[in-house]
Amino acid sequence: MANSTFTSSTRDIPDVSGVPRHIAIIMDGNGRWARKRFMPRVAGHGRGVEAVRSAIRGCIQRGVSYLTLFAFSSENWRRPADEVSFLMQLFIRSLQKEIDRLHENGIRFRVVGDLTRFDAPLVELIRTAEARTADNDKLTLTIAANYGGRWDIVQAVERMLAKYPEQRGSFSEEQLSAELSLNYGPEPDLFIRTGGEQRISNFLLWQLAYSELYFTDTLWPDFDEAALDDAIRSYRTRERRFGRTSEQLCQTVDRAAAVKAGTDPLPADPGAHA
Ligand code: IPE
Ligand code: IPE
Ligand code: MG
């Protein structure tokens, strides 16, 4: 599978470190940020772009490899037409303005979501930016645009069925996850939602299976590098058990120390990765 290099959290135990390899964020609270200042909601979206810049910079400096940002959900079409159109224009303008800088900073840019509802020039802009930055490896920045977790699973099932027309009835998780739109990266270690709501809002339904969830009241335009550090600090306090017991984890840690010290009394255990 395209993601065979990445461990499935339900099949194997992923490597875990103090720095999340992949952070996924629901950037919420732009409208409330603006309203609090008696400004139109869209002014909050404008300020939200600055917070995106800061999150990208922060992730690069902290050694995060994948950053996935929810910019527009499949349900956001239900918003007033002028807000939807503002968001589209903002996306186009920001991409045009930032793409050189993203590329210079070694960022691989990707967009996930159902692009069929976007105008051809925007799709062209996205594809060109993706192709241009495809070989960069400092940070993979994914923008989820017209994205829905359910859409993603349905399109993956369709692609899987088309790929294996002869295979009936017994598909594996790996075959399905290989067709999901984030098949080029690991599952998120850390999920952040700003703006105070504690829900997933149809974001990465499959991939969040074992992510650590972090909710903050901070509104997205106020989410700066210090706020990112708070989230990462919280992440570091979590015990990621992936179904195991706490005692097993302690044994694994003791064992890792013993291996390092050259005093490991046990034969190699192919099942234990963490
Ligand atoms: C998130 O901010 C941005 C998008 C959904 C595009 P909101 O616009 O949802 O802001 P609130 O939740 O109304 O404050
Ligand atoms: C989720 O925010 C989508 C994005 C941030 C793009 P919403 O503000 O649209 O979520 P709900 O509708 O309050 O759950
Ligand atoms: Mg919102």
Side-chain angles (χ1 to χ4, degrees):
M1 59 187 178
N3 55 351
S4 60
T5 47
F6 300 110
T7 310
S8 155
S9 59
T10 48
R11 294 291 188 198
D12 284 298
I13 295 166
D15 284 332
V16 168
S17 82
V19 179
R21 189 156 58 147
H22 181 177
I23 298 182
I25 308 183
I26 296 188
M27 311 181 287
D28 197 17
N30 293 349
R32 279 164 286 161
W33 182 93
R35 284 288 179 226
K36 264 172 58 178
R37 289 161 179 77
F38 307 102
M39 288 150 79
R41 288 177 51 81
V42 294
H45 297 318
R47 282 300 288 261
V49 176
E50 287 177 37
V52 168
R53 273 193 213 103
S54 146
I56 295 171
R57 199 170 45 237
C59 282
I60 290 180
Q61 284 168 358
R62 285 155 187 78
V64 174
S65 304
Y66 293 81
L67 174 64
T68 301
L69 301 173
F70 205 6
F72 192 87
S73 76
S74 42
E75 291 70 43
N76 285 146
W77 296 104
R78 298 166 179 168
R79 293 192 176 200
D82 55 351
E83 182 169 338
V84 170
S85 138
F86 181 92
L87 284 165
M88 290 301 149
Q89 290 308 313
L90 184 64
F91 187 24
I92 294 172
R93 277 204 316 270
S94 305
L95 190 50
Q96 285 170 333
K97 192 162 155 232
E98 303 292 339
I99 190 60
D100 287 346
R101 202 159 5 163
L102 292 175
H103 188 43
E104 280 157 21
N105 283 296
I107 294 166
R108 174 164 70 140
F109 175 80
R110 299 290 294 254
V111 173
V112 293
D114 180 4
L115 299 191
T116 58
R117 263 187 94 168
F118 290 164
D119 293 340
L122 174 54
V123 176
E124 175 65 22
L125 190 63
I126 290 169
R127 295 301 179 218
T128 306
E130 287 181 329
R132 188 169 161 211
T133 61
D135 294 330
N136 294 339
D137 59 6
K138 198 138 192 87
L139 173 79
T140 296
L141 169 68
T142 300
I143 302 294
N146 193 20
Y147 179 87
R150 291 184 179 180
W151 164 83
D152 199 1
I153 292 170
V154 169
Q155 68 82 32
V157 169
E158 284 170 0
R159 282 170 24 156
M160 187 180 69
L161 293 176
K163 196 166 181 177
Y164 309 104
E166 308 305 328
Q167 192 179 328
R168 301 241 183 275
S170 64
F171 293 99
S172 65
E173 283 188 16
E174 284 74 13
Q175 282 176 316
L176 181 61
S177 66
E179 305 305 328
L180 290 167
S181 41
L182 272 174
N183 62 5
Y184 51 86
E187 295 171 29
D189 301 292
L190 173 60
F191 160 92
I192 298 172
R193 181 172 187 144
T194 63
E197 313 297 351
Q198 302 199 355
R199 54 178 175 252
I200 303 293
S201 297
N202 197 18
F203 194 26
L204 305 167
L205 299 180
W206 177 283
Q207 298 87 345
L208 293 176
Y210 266 110
S211 307
E212 296 300 326
L213 308 181
Y214 178 83
F215 298 95
T216 171
D217 289 337
T218 302
L219 303 172
W220 176 250
D222 293 327
F223 192 85
D224 56 13
E225 293 195 31
L228 178 65
D229 282 333
D230 286 343
I232 295 177
R233 248 192 307 277
S234 167
Y235 171 79
R236 287 195 177 136
T237 66
R238 315 286 179 91
E239 186 178 67
R240 304 193 72 192
R241 290 193 288 276
F242 300 101
R244 293 166 297 176
T245 67
S246 212
E247 289 73 16
Q248 285 174 299
L249 285 183
C250 293
Q251 281 162 11
T252 312
V253 171
D254 291 349
R255 170 95 192 283
V259 169
K260 212 170 170 187
T263 55
D264 178 26
L266 301 171
D269 173 1
H273 299 307

